[in-house]
Amino acid sequence: EPPGLAPPSPGAPPQAPDLLYADGLRAYAAGAWAPAVALLREALRSRAALGRARLDCGAHCAAEPGVSLPAAPGPDSGPGAWEPLLLRAALRRAECLTQCWARRLGPGGAARLRVGSAIRDAFRRREPYNYLQRAYYQLKKLDLAAAAAHTFFVANPAHLQMREDMAKYRRMSGVRPQSFRDLETPPYWAAFDTGLEHLGRQEAGLALPWLEEALQESLAQVESCRAGCEGPEEQEREAEEEEGTGSQGGLYEAIAGHWTRVLQCRQRCVGDVATRPGRSLPVPDFFPTQLRRLHEAHAQVGNLSQATENVLSFLLFYPEDEAAKTALDRYQAQLGEPRPGLGPREDIQRFVLRSLGEKRQLYYAVEHLGASFKDPDLWTPAAFIPEGLREKLREDQEKRPWDDEPPQPKPLTHWKDVLLMEGVTLTQDARQLNGSERAVLDGLLTPAECGVLLQLAKDAAEAGARSGYRGRRSPHTPHERFEGLTVLKAAQLARAGAVGSQGAQLLLEVSERVRSLTQAYFSPDRPLHLSFTHLVCRSAIEGEQAQRMDLSHPVHADNCVLDPDTGECWREPPAYTYRDYSGLLYLNDDFQGGDLFFTEPNALTVTAQVRPRCGRLVAFSSGVENPHGVWAVTRGRRCALALWHTWAPEHREQEWTEAKALLRGPEKDEEDVASRDPGPEPPSRRLPRLQDKAGKPPRIREEL
Ligand SMILES: O=C(O)CCC(=O)C(=O)O
Ligand SMILES: [Fe+3]
């Protein structure tokens, strides 16, 4: 390890984040993984330290006596007397800030540590974590690699490469579910979600501490975002955006322009704080909503004075809200004698008054100075908005898309972790599917994994054809061909070299993935075992599709014999009575027809329908509550992994264990998965163009 690359001693003022980042990327590009990790981590640490220093110094200098405006004008009172007072105060504040920065970050702190906008965006997108995960991976620190990968993925859920990498990490033996943790998301989101989950389960008492924490922490986050608005970078950025406007004026025009930009930036903070990582839109009315939940929860557990404080705080945002006014009356009536000390929360009162003051100035600048302002709030009183703007703003707000509230609370707490870990989403629950135990989950497979399994099915079918076994007609319809492949057959074919072993291996892994999800979702307290796993493709036979009336798979239940006339289902042979849950994991959608559908037990009335696609799992209990069938496949080939799970260990699929043993072979052991696996791909080695905004290329640090 080159000597200069050791992380600086603790307590030493941090180096500029962008220099550290540039050095980190250079080390990364050279394959020097350990220095790359040290530098990238230091870059993250330095950026955080910078934010904290800005927050602390801002607060410190605002509070410093004598720095704020002296109360009374001096002897030179008269027209314009405020001018020297204002400017003197500004000078004093600037001095205080410079000194504070120097104390915290060394001489010239603020200037030395300014961060260019390209790098700021890279940090916002969590890019350092993409490099970190790969470097950790190379160092065989799989737990940290998975955490870095997860952290990046949370903010970039559409990043395909990382999706595939995540799938690889999940398969590695050194990675545990707990490894997938988010190192960046501020904890108020978790508190907020936990609070909502408790509310969803009618547990107001348990929800309260979480909701309170979420509110306080998200308010604190607003403060630290606002502190960033006074930095040099913010001005630089705003000036870039509004190039040419406003910068030509004299002293007061310049001050006004600068001040307007600070206010615009501060007002944007609420939207930033209300936006979940990886989402582009904020949760609407984030703060009023939290207050509403708080007052309702307090009222439910009988904390009437706190309910009153919170509803009064809500009313600061929406003074005319009928429901809130009614609730207030109710709380006051229940409280009995009037409580003089009872008012809105202080934190909210300060927040609202300050925001209104800023809006007033901004709208003034809009009307009279040609400034622009996109009000992020829905609650701004109409009286604050210049007449000419009101109509337009109302229209915009009606059209404005919002991030929806987080999905309804899941029935299980650890279910959320499973989802997060797998990058899987719950697309439809039982209610949306008009049933009791049904779910559609997406994202179980990456496109590449679907490709591998489709190839496996194809290779297996061709191997079958070579040995004289033509894809036979479907047992369910004369208009389709039907090929099935079990895990054991796949392993044997792989062993014989007829199909790739990667596909056979993946088949096993994926079936386990489905099993663990199904168990977590439907049967968290009782283990489920795979009882049968089958890769099935159904292909339309060309020229036999006109006016087809039949189904690809007639309506049936998976563990009983359905009698549509009576709606009864006999749980006896020849039905596979030990099947408890069914899963269908789809691999493709490039065919016609072939949707899965659920019916009433009369086998006629369709209650829900699901279009197959790569990585989509339909999971449901196997009994009479879930009669289902498949519409005719009229063109192309439809492939799916069908799996059945059982509670009965004696019906556990023996073939699965045999296939696993066959594939592992005698020579390979679990430990070297990481070295055999091709591993996550590195993020592009192309260095970001650091010099773009800074004006000159990053210098190589002399001390190296
Ligand atoms: O492939 C499908 O979508 C359903 C198949 C099915 O229900 C079965 O094999 O029991
Ligand atoms: Fe079925």
Tab-separated table of all heavy atoms in Angstrom, residues 330-350:
chain	number	residue	atom	x	y	z
A	330	ARG	N	-63.422	18.360	19.464
A	330	ARG	CA	-63.650	17.140	20.242
A	330	ARG	C	-62.602	17.019	21.356
A	330	ARG	O	-62.934	16.770	22.505
A	330	ARG	CB	-63.591	15.936	19.303
A	330	ARG	CG	-64.271	14.712	19.850
A	330	ARG	CD	-64.353	13.589	18.831
A	330	ARG	NE	-63.064	13.200	18.295
A	330	ARG	CZ	-62.739	13.269	17.004
A	330	ARG	NH1	-63.605	13.717	16.124
A	330	ARG	NH2	-61.548	12.883	16.606
A	331	TYR	N	-61.339	17.245	21.004
A	331	TYR	CA	-60.293	17.112	22.020
A	331	TYR	C	-60.522	18.122	23.144
A	331	TYR	O	-60.362	17.801	24.323
A	331	TYR	CB	-58.894	17.340	21.424
A	331	TYR	CG	-58.531	16.417	20.266
A	331	TYR	CD1	-57.606	16.815	19.303
A	331	TYR	CD2	-59.111	15.153	20.146
A	331	TYR	CE1	-57.266	15.983	18.246
A	331	TYR	CE2	-58.783	14.318	19.087
A	331	TYR	CZ	-57.867	14.746	18.130
A	331	TYR	OH	-57.545	13.934	17.085
A	332	GLN	N	-60.895	19.329	22.757
A	332	GLN	CA	-61.078	20.348	23.783
A	332	GLN	C	-62.257	20.024	24.687
A	332	GLN	O	-62.187	20.200	25.902
A	332	GLN	CB	-61.238	21.731	23.145
A	332	GLN	CG	-59.864	22.286	22.737
A	332	GLN	CD	-59.954	23.578	21.924
A	332	GLN	OE1	-60.969	23.844	21.289
A	332	GLN	NE2	-58.871	24.339	21.927
A	333	ALA	N	-63.315	19.485	24.089
A	333	ALA	CA	-64.476	19.107	24.895
A	333	ALA	C	-64.085	17.993	25.861
A	333	ALA	O	-64.439	18.014	27.038
A	333	ALA	CB	-65.619	18.653	23.985
A	334	GLN	N	-63.309	17.039	25.368
A	334	GLN	CA	-62.923	15.922	26.223
A	334	GLN	C	-61.970	16.358	27.330
A	334	GLN	O	-61.984	15.809	28.427
A	334	GLN	CB	-62.275	14.813	25.390
A	334	GLN	CG	-63.297	14.009	24.607
A	334	GLN	CD	-62.654	13.100	23.574
A	334	GLN	OE1	-61.492	13.285	23.217
A	334	GLN	NE2	-63.393	12.126	23.107
A	335	LEU	N	-61.151	17.329	27.005
A	335	LEU	CA	-60.195	17.818	28.002
A	335	LEU	C	-60.896	18.530	29.161
A	335	LEU	O	-60.345	18.646	30.246
A	335	LEU	CB	-59.206	18.791	27.354
A	335	LEU	CG	-57.910	18.199	26.829
A	335	LEU	CD1	-57.148	19.247	26.045
A	335	LEU	CD2	-57.048	17.677	27.968
A	336	GLY	N	-62.102	19.021	28.880
A	336	GLY	CA	-62.820	19.731	29.931
A	336	GLY	C	-62.374	21.172	30.018
A	336	GLY	O	-62.351	21.872	28.997
A	337	GLU	N	-61.940	21.582	31.173
A	337	GLU	CA	-61.611	23.002	31.378
A	337	GLU	C	-60.527	23.435	30.390
A	337	GLU	O	-59.656	22.649	30.020
A	337	GLU	CB	-61.183	23.258	32.829
A	337	GLU	CG	-59.731	22.990	33.149
A	337	GLU	CD	-59.414	21.531	33.474
A	337	GLU	OE1	-60.168	20.607	33.056
A	337	GLU	OE2	-58.398	21.313	34.125
A	338	PRO	N	-60.578	24.693	29.922
A	338	PRO	CA	-59.604	25.155	28.933
A	338	PRO	C	-58.196	25.138	29.518
A	338	PRO	O	-57.993	25.450	30.694
A	338	PRO	CB	-60.060	26.581	28.622
A	338	PRO	CG	-61.027	26.971	29.688
A	338	PRO	CD	-61.550	25.726	30.308
A	339	ARG	N	-57.218	24.738	28.715
A	339	ARG	CA	-55.824	24.728	29.164
A	339	ARG	C	-55.108	25.879	28.490
A	339	ARG	O	-54.845	25.822	27.277
A	339	ARG	CB	-55.138	23.418	28.744
A	339	ARG	CG	-55.837	22.175	29.199
A	339	ARG	CD	-55.250	21.691	30.522
A	339	ARG	NE	-56.035	20.584	31.048
A	339	ARG	CZ	-55.668	19.313	30.931
A	339	ARG	NH1	-54.566	19.002	30.310
A	339	ARG	NH2	-56.431	18.368	31.422
A	340	PRO	N	-54.811	26.917	29.202
A	340	PRO	CA	-54.261	28.114	28.567
A	340	PRO	C	-52.913	27.857	27.883
A	340	PRO	O	-52.636	28.401	26.825
A	340	PRO	CB	-54.114	29.108	29.717
A	340	PRO	CG	-54.312	28.334	30.985
A	340	PRO	CD	-54.948	27.033	30.657
A	341	GLY	N	-52.092	26.997	28.447
A	341	GLY	CA	-50.750	26.801	27.889
A	341	GLY	C	-50.723	25.997	26.594
A	341	GLY	O	-49.677	25.833	25.979
A	342	LEU	N	-51.878	25.486	26.202
A	342	LEU	CA	-51.890	24.529	25.103
A	342	LEU	C	-51.917	25.215	23.745
A	342	LEU	O	-52.897	25.870	23.408
A	342	LEU	CB	-53.116	23.635	25.263
A	342	LEU	CG	-52.926	22.157	24.965
A	342	LEU	CD1	-51.735	21.594	25.714
A	342	LEU	CD2	-54.184	21.404	25.318
A	343	GLY	N	-50.842	25.109	22.990
A	343	GLY	CA	-50.808	25.714	21.661
A	343	GLY	C	-50.163	24.744	20.688
A	343	GLY	O	-49.897	23.605	21.035
A	344	PRO	N	-49.932	25.195	19.468
A	344	PRO	CA	-49.246	24.335	18.502
A	344	PRO	C	-47.820	24.042	18.962
A	344	PRO	O	-47.266	24.772	19.785
A	344	PRO	CB	-49.249	25.149	17.220
A	344	PRO	CG	-49.603	26.540	17.597
A	344	PRO	CD	-50.296	26.495	18.915
A	345	ARG	N	-47.229	23.009	18.438
A	345	ARG	CA	-45.841	22.662	18.765
A	345	ARG	C	-44.929	23.821	18.370
A	345	ARG	O	-45.105	24.399	17.290
A	345	ARG	CB	-45.399	21.433	17.982
A	345	ARG	CG	-46.254	20.227	18.151
A	345	ARG	CD	-45.932	19.223	17.049
A	345	ARG	NE	-44.530	18.848	17.075
A	345	ARG	CZ	-44.090	17.626	17.362
A	345	ARG	NH1	-44.949	16.656	17.604
A	345	ARG	NH2	-42.810	17.365	17.375
A	346	GLU	N	-43.920	24.040	19.186
A	346	GLU	CA	-43.012	25.135	18.868
A	346	GLU	C	-42.225	24.878	17.589
A	346	GLU	O	-42.024	25.782	16.768
A	346	GLU	CB	-42.048	25.366	20.027
A	346	GLU	CG	-42.507	26.486	20.931
A	346	GLU	CD	-41.552	26.670	22.082
A	346	GLU	OE1	-40.331	26.664	21.839
A	346	GLU	OE2	-42.046	26.815	23.220
A	347	ASP	N	-41.765	23.629	17.422
A	347	ASP	CA	-40.943	23.339	16.232
A	347	ASP	C	-41.734	23.615	14.957
A	347	ASP	O	-41.218	24.183	13.989
A	347	ASP	CB	-40.372	21.910	16.268
A	347	ASP	CG	-41.419	20.846	16.580
A	347	ASP	OD1	-42.607	21.194	16.731
A	347	ASP	OD2	-41.044	19.652	16.666
A	348	ILE	N	-43.015	23.267	14.977
A	348	ILE	CA	-43.826	23.457	13.770
A	348	ILE	C	-44.174	24.928	13.568
A	348	ILE	O	-44.164	25.446	12.451
A	348	ILE	CB	-45.104	22.601	13.853
A	348	ILE	CG1	-44.727	21.114	13.888
A	348	ILE	CG2	-46.027	22.875	12.687
A	348	ILE	CD1	-44.004	20.623	12.659
A	349	GLN	N	-44.442	25.577	14.689
A	349	GLN	CA	-44.770	27.004	14.577
A	349	GLN	C	-43.597	27.765	13.928
A	349	GLN	O	-43.789	28.564	13.012
A	349	GLN	CB	-45.024	27.550	15.972
A	349	GLN	CG	-45.789	28.838	15.955
A	349	GLN	CD	-46.389	29.114	17.336
A	349	GLN	OE1	-46.103	28.425	18.304
A	349	GLN	NE2	-47.235	30.119	17.408
A	350	ARG	N	-42.395	27.470	14.410
A	350	ARG	CA	-41.215	28.139	13.845
A	350	ARG	C	-41.083	27.808	12.359
A	350	ARG	O	-40.838	28.659	11.519
A	350	ARG	CB	-39.960	27.669	14.586
A	350	ARG	CG	-39.222	28.804	15.260
A	350	ARG	CD	-37.988	28.315	15.993
A	350	ARG	NE	-38.307	27.429	17.090
A	350	ARG	CZ	-37.848	26.176	17.230
A	350	ARG	NH1	-37.054	25.652	16.322
A	350	ARG	NH2	-38.196	25.448	18.261
